[in-house]
Amino acid sequence: AAQAACRDTADELCTVLESRISSGRSASASLKFRARPNGIRKIVAALSKQAEVTNQSTTTEDLAVPITDAAKKLAMLKDYRSKLEALRGRAGNDVDALIKVNRELAQVQSELEASEGTHAHLVQRVETEILNVFIRSVEHRAFWKPIGFAISDFGGNLSQGISIAIT
């Protein structure tokens, strides 16, 4: 239900970051989502329809310094690119200078696009929250069920106890 709610809130940048299922005597699952606050609320609401939500916490990241650094780098690269474009216009008929300027311009453009991607990723991380969900099934056991588990584990527990006593 939580994963379906995440898929339904694609406009809230919802992403499933982690999903685990454990089965056995006590079944459980854990999920980790990243979404905008409204998307987190929708996921919690979907879970609340399925069962009682007993604990809830979300985390956000403070990336003000890296975002500021990335913005400064973007501004410097854009300024450098505009200066290179001006130089390219003045190169005229000097083919060697034109080749060098175009090579440097291509390098700067590549760095600029990488920096824009990094900046966008940092901004997305700030605009979204992380929701960790742990789901545990509460099994209503019959009166004799725990005794049955104890009997089935008896041989292993006895051999473990004897080995500890010998050691």
Side-chain angles (χ1 to χ4, degrees):
Q3 288 178 330
C6 184
R7 283 190 299 273
D8 293 343
T9 58
D11 57 325
E12 297 295 335
L13 302 177
C14 188
T15 306
V16 178
L17 299 176
E18 185 178 338
S19 172
R20 295 180 190 208
I21 296 176
S22 174
S23 60
R25 287 185 184 174
S26 177
S28 65
S30 65
L31 299 158
K32 186 175 188 178
F33 299 97
R34 177 183 289 280
R36 289 186 177 142
N38 195 34
I40 297 290
R41 283 190 289 279
K42 289 178 182 178
I43 293 169
V44 171
L47 288 170
S48 296
K49 291 178 184 175
Q50 300 290 321
E52 179 185 3
V53 176
T54 58
N55 293 313
Q56 175 184 336
S57 72
T58 56
T59 57
T60 59
E61 299 176 79
D62 181 15
L63 299 170
V65 172
I67 287 174
T68 303
D69 292 345
K72 287 178 185 176
K73 184 175 181 179
L74 279 172
M76 287 180 0
L77 286 170
K78 287 178 181 178
D79 182 53
Y80 187 46
R81 180 182 63 184
S82 66
K83 289 178 181 175
L84 285 172
E85 287 172 345
L87 277 176
R88 182 172 59 181
R90 285 189 266 155
N93 293 332
D94 187 359
V95 175
D96 188 45
L98 192 58
I99 289 172
K100 289 178 182 177
V101 168
N102 280 334
R103 186 178 306 133
E104 185 68 17
L105 194 55
Q107 178 66 31
V108 168
Q109 184 63 33
S110 175
E111 287 181 35
L112 184 62
E113 289 172 4
S115 292
E116 285 174 341
T118 301
H119 185 262
H121 179 68
L122 290 171
V123 169
Q124 179 195 18
R125 285 173 56 190
V126 168
E127 290 177 350
T128 58
E129 298 176 351
I130 295 175
L131 172 66
N132 291 300
V133 177
F134 181 74
I135 302 167
R136 181 175 52 111
S137 68
V138 178
E139 184 179 338
H140 296 289
R141 300 180 185 164
F143 176 78
W144 295 104
K145 196 73 157 180
I147 296 170
F149 287 147
I151 291 171
S152 70
D153 292 342
F154 177 74
N157 290 339
L158 179 63
S159 68
Q160 183 71 27
I162 291 171
S163 70
I164 290 172
I166 291 171
T167 302

